[in-house]
Amino acid sequence: MTPAGATINVGPDGLTPEERLYQETVRHLQKSYSKKIKPLEQAYCFEGFHSAPLTPQDIGSKPMILLLGQYSTGKTTFVEYLLGESYPGAHVGIEPTTDRFVAIMNGPEPKVIPGHAAAVSGDLPFSGLTKFGTKFLSRFQVAQLNNPLLSNLTLIDTPGILSGSKQIQRGYDFISVINWFAERSDLILLLFDGYKLDISDEFKGAIQSLRGHEDKVRIVLNKCDQISQQQLMRVYGALMWSLGKVIPTPEVNRVYLGSFWPKYKTPVGTVYEDNLDLLASEQRDLLRDLRSIPKNAAVRRVNEIVKRARQARVHAHIIGHLRSELPSMFGKNKKAKAMLDDLPAEFKKIQVKYNLPPGDFPHPDAFKEDLQAFKIADFNKFSQRLVANADDALSSDFPRLMQLFPTNGRPSGDYGLPDDGRGDSSPDETGTPASSRFGGHPSEKSASRLNTPIAPTVPYPPPYSALAASASTSRNPFGDDTDANPGILRFRTLFDSICEPKRKMVSADSARNVLSESGLPTELLREVWNIADWDTRGELDQVQFEVAMRICERLKGKEPLDAARSQVFSELGLTNRFYS
C-alpha cells in the first residue's frame, strides 16, 4: 500500500522513473521481436506448429491470470473475491453457469464487449483469437469494470469443464484455446473442489496442454471450510494422487488450500471452524503470489519472448535440415516419408550439426503430426541471415534489456497491489503507483501516457476486495491518514466491539443502538438503514456498517441524504457494485 502523504516524482512527460523504465523495456522488446524474431517465424511457418506471431498488443498487454477448473469449483466467485465486486455478465451457481470465456479488464464504466468486436479491436490483445472461428468468438466476451485492481491485471474466467459426452459439443477446439491463453498468461490457477476431485478427459487434456508453462501454474483446493479437518487430510491426499497421474513430474505440486468467498457474501453450507487458521495462512500465501505478478510482469515478458525465440530458432534448423535432405529431382515424397518415419534420428543429426540442446526440440510425434499438413519441398531453404538475427537478439538484445531492470527487489506496494498488512513488503520511498505501467495497449501508452501528463493517483482496492488491507498498516501510533486514503475503514474498532465474533456481522438491534446515538430523527435513520442494508439481510457487515456511520456523520453536518450517500459510496469505492 502506498504510504499516506508520500510524494510522487513525476517528470515532464507525466511518468515516474519506474513507469518510464517499463515502457521503454516493452518498446525495445516489441522492436527486437518484430525485426529479428518474427521474420524467422514467418519464413518457416512457425504458426503452423506453435502459435501465431505476437502482436504489439500481446507483448505490451497487462499481466493476465487464467482460471481453469471443472464446473462449480468457484472460479467466478474467486474473481469476485479478488475484485470485491461482481463483474458485468457474471453468473454464479451450483450448476454450470459460466458458459463462455470472459476477459475481465479495466474500463471507464461497466460494460460487455462481444467476442467478435473484441477480436477486431486494435486496443485489445485478442486479435489472435479470430483463428478459432465464429463459434468460439460467440462464446467469448470482454467485461470491463472500473476497478483499481484491474489497472494492473486482466483476469480470464473460463467455462466449467464437464465430463462425459457434453465435453465434445463445444463447437471449437477448447484445448487449443486454453493453450492460447496459457501462452499469454502470467499465472494459471487450477481450481479444485473438495467434492469434485475426479479429473475428466477434457480437464486432463487442458492440464496437459499447459506443458511448458509449469512455472505459471498454481493449484488451488477451494471450499475447504466445508470439510472437517480429518476429511481435509484425506481429500488433500486424494487430490495429490489424481494430479500425479496427470502431471508427470518428479516434484510435488504445491496446493493452496482455501475458501475464497467474497466478503459481501455469506458462505453457503456448513462451515467447519477447526481449519480456519490454516486456511487463512494458505490464502495469504496465494495472495502474496498474486501481488508479485505486476512486479515481475515485464521480466516475464522478456522470458516468454526468449523462450519463443529459442523455439523459432530450433524450428528453423529442423525445417531447413529436412528441406536440404530432399533430392533435387526425383524421389522427394519417398525421402520425406522416410524422414518423417524416423524423426528422432533426424533431430539427433540436427543437434550434433548445430550444437543445439535436446531440451529445445519439440516432441517428435507432435511435430510429425503437424508436419503432415505441409509439403517439405514447399518450405523455404535454410537462411543463415534470419537465424543470425535471432541469435543476435538472444545474445545481445535481450541480455542488454535485462540490465535495465533494478537488481534490488521491489516491494509489492510499488506495483499497484496493496500489502496485506503482515509486513511481507515495505513501501517505496516515492510511493509510486503502477497503473498502466505494464501495459495497457499501444494506443493508451503512446497517445495518453506519453503525450498527456497525468495526475499521479493511487489506486486503492475496493473495501470488499481480498487484496484490501483488513487492518491498519500504518506505523504511526495515531493511525492512518484518512484524508490521504478515504477508503480506510475508520469505524472498524467499534464494529469489532459489537459484531458477532464468528460471523463478523452486526445485528439489527446492535446497529440501532449505535446509530440512535447520532441523535438523528427515526425517519432519517430508517433511510440510512435501507441504504446500508442493500442486500436486505437484516444485519450489517463491516463495510455496510462503515457506510451507515459515515452517512450519519454527514447528515449531522446538515448534508443532504442523497449527497451524503454518493460521497460515502465514492470514498469507499462502492459505486460500481450497484451498476446493475
XYZ file of all heavy atoms in Angstrom, residues 37 78 86 99-100 117 201 203 245 289 318 322-323 347 351 385 395 408-409 418 430 433 440 482 488-489 523 540 579:
238
model
N 12.860 -11.690 -34.688
C 12.255 -12.993 -34.388
C 11.083 -13.283 -35.310
O 10.968 -14.377 -35.874
C 11.792 -13.059 -32.918
C 12.930 -12.652 -31.979
C 11.302 -14.457 -32.581
C 14.166 -13.512 -32.086
N -14.161 -16.731 -7.172
C -12.791 -16.323 -6.864
C -12.486 -14.955 -7.479
O -11.810 -14.118 -6.862
C -11.810 -17.377 -7.386
C -10.378 -17.113 -7.027
C -9.863 -17.535 -5.817
C -9.541 -16.433 -7.896
C -8.539 -17.289 -5.475
C -8.219 -16.176 -7.566
C -7.722 -16.614 -6.351
N -18.882 -7.963 -8.182
C -19.167 -8.787 -9.342
C -18.805 -8.030 -10.614
O -18.722 -6.798 -10.615
C -20.648 -9.166 -9.355
O -20.954 -9.998 -10.442
N -20.655 -20.096 -19.244
C -20.635 -20.902 -20.455
C -19.763 -20.291 -21.536
O -19.860 -20.645 -22.691
C -22.060 -21.082 -20.990
C -22.705 -19.748 -21.349
O -22.158 -18.696 -20.951
O -23.752 -19.761 -22.020
N -18.884 -19.365 -21.156
C -18.055 -18.686 -22.137
C -16.751 -18.233 -21.493
O -16.620 -18.191 -20.272
C -18.802 -17.494 -22.731
C -19.178 -16.413 -21.717
C -20.146 -15.421 -22.320
N -21.403 -16.060 -22.674
C -21.988 -15.920 -23.866
N -21.434 -15.156 -24.788
N -23.131 -16.528 -24.107
N -16.454 -8.252 -31.691
C -15.983 -6.872 -31.623
C -14.648 -6.785 -30.902
O -13.753 -6.019 -31.303
C -17.023 -5.999 -30.904
N -11.682 -36.304 -18.935
C -10.762 -36.385 -20.078
C -10.428 -34.996 -20.613
O -9.283 -34.716 -20.962
C -11.378 -37.238 -21.198
C -11.499 -38.702 -20.806
O -10.797 -39.107 -19.855
O -12.283 -39.429 -21.439
N -10.569 -32.119 -18.951
C -9.746 -31.416 -17.976
C -8.312 -31.940 -18.016
O -7.353 -31.175 -17.903
C -10.346 -31.581 -16.580
C -9.806 -30.605 -15.567
C -9.175 -29.432 -15.955
C -9.945 -30.843 -14.210
C -8.684 -28.528 -15.027
C -9.455 -29.955 -13.269
C -8.822 -28.793 -13.686
N -1.171 -38.571 -11.597
C -1.428 -39.336 -12.810
C -1.528 -38.449 -14.045
O -1.416 -38.930 -15.165
C -2.722 -40.133 -12.661
C -2.693 -41.144 -11.518
C -3.781 -42.183 -11.642
C -5.137 -41.611 -11.862
N -6.203 -42.646 -11.920
N 1.517 -14.441 -3.787
C 1.884 -14.795 -5.158
C 1.229 -13.848 -6.152
O 1.865 -13.399 -7.117
C 1.443 -16.232 -5.465
C 2.615 -17.189 -5.512
O 3.740 -16.742 -5.218
O 2.417 -18.382 -5.826
N 15.304 -27.238 -37.947
C 14.655 -28.509 -38.304
C 14.119 -28.452 -39.729
O 14.383 -29.347 -40.552
C 13.516 -28.824 -37.310
C 14.077 -29.087 -35.919
C 12.716 -30.027 -37.793
C 13.008 -29.250 -34.843
N 15.467 -30.643 -42.960
C 14.609 -31.554 -43.718
C 14.508 -31.121 -45.179
O 14.503 -31.966 -46.088
C 13.214 -31.603 -43.085
C 13.133 -32.141 -41.643
C 11.695 -32.076 -41.128
C 13.662 -33.560 -41.566
N 14.449 -29.820 -45.413
C 14.376 -29.306 -46.791
C 15.660 -29.605 -47.551
O 15.622 -29.983 -48.745
C 14.128 -27.793 -46.735
C 14.131 -27.080 -48.079
C 12.903 -27.454 -48.893
N 12.815 -26.672 -50.107
C 13.514 -26.909 -51.222
N 14.375 -27.928 -51.251
N 13.337 -26.144 -52.291
N 16.350 -35.462 -35.649
C 16.593 -34.482 -34.598
C 18.006 -34.628 -34.032
O 18.682 -33.632 -33.742
C 15.564 -34.644 -33.472
C 14.194 -34.092 -33.798
C 13.925 -33.523 -35.038
C 13.175 -34.117 -32.854
C 12.676 -33.014 -35.333
C 11.919 -33.601 -33.134
C 11.669 -33.051 -34.385
N 20.927 -31.770 -33.804
C 21.549 -31.405 -32.528
C 23.066 -31.442 -32.620
O 23.756 -30.534 -32.124
C 21.061 -32.355 -31.438
C 19.585 -32.215 -31.093
C 19.053 -33.372 -30.269
O 19.839 -34.140 -29.698
N 17.738 -33.528 -30.206
N 21.019 -15.850 -42.556
C 20.836 -14.454 -42.148
C 19.710 -14.320 -41.111
O 19.862 -13.637 -40.101
C 20.523 -13.601 -43.384
C 20.249 -12.126 -43.076
C 19.878 -11.366 -44.337
N 18.678 -11.905 -44.960
C 17.435 -11.602 -44.577
N 17.242 -10.763 -43.571
N 16.405 -12.119 -45.210
N 21.640 -13.191 -27.891
C 22.951 -12.985 -27.266
C 23.234 -11.537 -26.925
O 24.101 -11.251 -26.093
C 24.055 -13.508 -28.193
O 24.059 -12.787 -29.427
N 17.757 -4.754 -7.165
C 17.182 -4.911 -5.820
C 15.723 -5.275 -5.933
O 15.036 -4.892 -6.866
C 17.330 -3.611 -5.016
C 16.631 -2.444 -5.688
O 16.803 -2.226 -6.879
N 15.864 -1.688 -4.927
N 15.224 -6.056 -4.992
C 13.828 -6.468 -5.021
C 12.918 -5.278 -4.787
O 13.153 -4.457 -3.919
N -1.841 -3.834 -3.134
C -1.504 -3.430 -1.776
C -0.888 -4.533 -0.955
O -1.069 -5.714 -1.218
C -2.852 -3.030 -1.198
C -3.817 -3.877 -1.941
C -3.263 -3.998 -3.334
N 9.066 6.630 -2.847
C 8.306 7.600 -3.622
C 6.824 7.351 -3.553
O 6.027 8.209 -3.919
C 8.724 7.566 -5.103
O 8.372 6.283 -5.632
C 10.205 7.805 -5.260
N 2.438 4.561 -7.673
C 1.567 3.509 -8.159
C 2.032 3.030 -9.515
O 2.860 3.672 -10.151
C 0.204 4.195 -8.279
C 0.560 5.606 -8.592
C 1.836 5.889 -7.847
N -1.375 -1.723 -20.643
C -2.283 -1.100 -21.492
C -1.935 -1.450 -22.865
O -1.219 -2.380 -23.126
N -6.522 9.367 7.124
C -7.749 9.079 6.393
C -8.044 10.117 5.324
O -8.848 9.869 4.430
C -8.946 8.993 7.352
O -9.035 10.208 8.093
C -8.765 7.828 8.320
N -9.990 3.980 3.897
C -9.695 3.283 5.149
C -10.959 3.184 5.991
O -11.703 4.153 6.137
C -8.585 4.020 5.922
C -7.243 3.885 5.186
C -8.450 3.482 7.336
C -6.127 4.698 5.808
N -11.225 2.021 6.538
C -12.405 1.812 7.371
C -12.150 2.414 8.761
O -11.421 1.856 9.571
C -12.727 0.318 7.468
C -12.985 -0.385 6.124
C -13.318 -1.850 6.357
C -14.102 0.303 5.353
N -37.035 8.749 11.205
C -37.332 8.640 9.772
C -36.058 8.666 8.943
O -35.909 7.926 7.962
C -38.255 9.785 9.332
C -39.651 9.745 9.929
C -39.665 10.193 11.380
O -38.641 10.747 11.855
O -40.688 9.984 12.059
N -25.640 -6.068 9.272
C -24.632 -5.316 8.525
C -23.269 -5.971 8.657
O -22.865 -6.359 9.762
C -24.547 -3.868 9.037
C -25.838 -3.033 9.011
C -25.559 -1.631 9.539
C -26.427 -2.976 7.603
N -24.047 -1.164 -10.341
C -24.299 -0.810 -11.734
C -25.506 -1.537 -12.302
O -26.136 -1.128 -13.247
C -23.074 -1.103 -12.606
C -22.648 -2.543 -12.638
C -23.294 -3.459 -13.456
C -21.591 -2.990 -11.853
C -22.899 -4.784 -13.487
C -21.198 -4.306 -11.870
C -21.851 -5.199 -12.699
O -21.445 -6.510 -12.728
